[in-house]
Amino acid sequence: MIQTVLSTLIEVVVPLSVPIIGGALIERFQRLDTKPLLTLYLYFLSPAIILDTLAHAKISFDDIYLTAAFTLLNVLLLWGTASGISKVMKFSAPDQAGLTLVSVLTNSANYGIPLVLLAFGQAGLDKASVYIIGQMLIINTLGVYFAARSHFSVKNAVKSVLSLPAIYAAILAMLLRGFDLHLPAEVAKGINMAAGAYSPVVLAILGAQMMKVGTMPSPKGERTAFWIGIAVRMLIGPLLALLVLNLLGISGKLHSVLFILASMPVAVNAVILAERFNASPLFVSRCILWTTLASFLVLPLLIALVSG
């Protein structure tokens, strides 16, 4: 077991850490401006990898149905867990919103895509594609609601979803598959090249953002919420994911991929929503930093368990 964990650590985490460390070092010494890179990621690289993956993904209707059911049920359980803990601990409204964001929103795109590709190969990434798109929808709909229920607007949420090029890339890929059509070879090759740039760019962005979070002042009076957030995302989250996977009877590679994606650290997008709606952004930022650092040790162990 130890040998398997070490092997996973070397073969998966070490390659991922190179662009993360690179981004962190650039931020530390050159003050990397991530806004243009985030625009590149959101409007070009993200739709490119989704279109490239979904257009060629070997995934059955049963996989799509089970992934959608898992995503919905898992989110509901995590939401209920965060709400229950918040009521028992008598958290303030901002801390409750922050804990919900930390619990529900996972970094399945920026971090999950390259991790799954390295750990499970292209077949694993095929299985992961539906879950990742589901997380994008959740972040831009339920994520807004979690961050600011009193400010929630269905109209604005729909606008937010419809503004994402990734959604249209997914629709295009589904249409191409449904009608057994293909993009011109030259266009498909260009999209594949763009998709190849996804992982190093987004991991460098993650490294820079982690460095920024690490230099933020520690929030006062949020220590309890912070540790509970860490426990929910890194301990309770994986246990609930296993429960849902067993309830739905999901097995094989789909089980392994969904379990790892559901065990990912907090999504970077969570702090964007937290800052916008004053949902304890410093608490959320610290959880992003420390769950990401913890994942470098936890995820190899989990990958070894599901792979064994």
Side-chain angles (χ1 to χ4, degrees):
M1 173 58 123
I2 294 177
Q3 184 177 359
T4 304
V5 173
L6 291 175
S7 175
T8 304
L9 183 67
I10 294 172
E11 294 176 7
V12 177
V13 175
V14 171
L16 289 176
S17 68
V18 172
I20 291 176
I21 293 172
L25 290 175
I26 295 174
E27 165 61 25
R28 172 65 178 82
F29 295 105
Q30 297 293 329
R31 295 299 178 188
L32 178 64
D33 183 4
T34 57
K35 287 183 179 180
L37 293 177
L38 285 170
T39 301
L40 179 69
Y41 146 72
L42 188 61
Y43 291 98
F44 181 53
L45 299 182
S46 182
I49 195 168
I50 287 175
L51 178 57
D52 185 62
T53 300
L54 284 180
H56 305 95
K58 296 179 181 178
I59 184 169
S60 66
F61 176 78
D62 284 344
D63 285 345
I64 295 173
Y65 164 76
L66 289 172
T67 300
F70 169 79
T71 302
L72 179 59
L73 186 53
N74 193 50
V75 164
L76 291 175
L77 286 176
L78 288 169
W79 183 7
T81 299
S83 298
I85 292 174
S86 296
K87 289 179 180 178
V88 171
M89 299 303 296
K90 297 181 180 179
F91 284 164
S92 64
D95 280 356
Q96 180 176 350
L99 180 61
T100 305
L101 292 174
V102 165
S103 303
V104 174
L105 305 185
T106 61
N107 201 354
S108 56
N110 298 24
Y111 189 179
I113 288 177
L115 178 74
V116 166
L117 188 59
L118 284 171
F120 302 104
Q122 185 60 46
L125 185 57
D126 291 348
K127 302 284 187 184
S129 56
V130 176
Y131 179 87
I132 291 167
I133 292 172
Q135 275 289 310
M136 290 181 178
L137 289 170
I138 288 169
I139 288 172
N140 288 278
T141 52
L142 291 178
V144 177
Y145 174 66
F146 294 148
R149 297 177 191 180
S150 61
H151 302 287
F152 181 71
S153 164
V154 175
K155 181 179 179 180
N156 288 338
V158 172
K159 281 185 177 180
S160 180
V161 173
L162 295 180
S163 69
L164 290 174
I167 302 302
Y168 299 102
I171 293 173
L172 176 59
M174 292 299 185
L175 290 174
L176 290 173
R177 289 176 66 96
F179 291 98
D180 195 24
L181 298 174
H182 302 279
L183 293 171
E186 294 79 8
V187 174
K189 186 176 181 180
I191 292 174
N192 180 260
M193 289 174 60
Y198 178 94
S199 295
V201 172
V202 298
L203 289 174
I205 293 172
L206 176 60
Q209 290 172 327
M210 286 175 62
M211 180 61 72
K212 290 177 182 177
V213 171
T215 59
M216 290 180 179
S218 299
K220 296 180 180 179
E222 292 181 351
R223 183 169 296 181
T224 300
F226 167 73
W227 284 112
I228 289 176
I230 295 289
V232 172
R233 178 82 311 271
M234 301 306 294
L235 179 61
I236 297 176
L239 292 176
L240 287 178
L242 281 178
L243 173 63
V244 176
L245 288 167
N246 289 330
L247 284 175
L248 296 175
I250 299 175
S251 60
K253 182 159 287 188
L254 182 62
H255 177 284
S256 301
V257 168
L258 291 180
F259 174 63
I260 294 302
L261 289 175
S263 305
M264 297 298 294
V266 184
V268 174
N269 310 66
V271 76
I272 297 173
L273 294 174
E275 288 177 348
R276 181 178 177 185
F277 296 107
N278 193 30
S280 296
L282 290 178
F283 152 53
V284 174
S285 296
R286 291 182 70 212
C287 285
I288 292 172
L289 173 63
W290 289 104
T291 57
T292 302
L293 292 175
S295 72
F296 295 154
L297 297 176
V298 173
L299 288 177
L301 176 61
L302 296 181
I303 291 171
L305 286 173
V306 298
S307 299

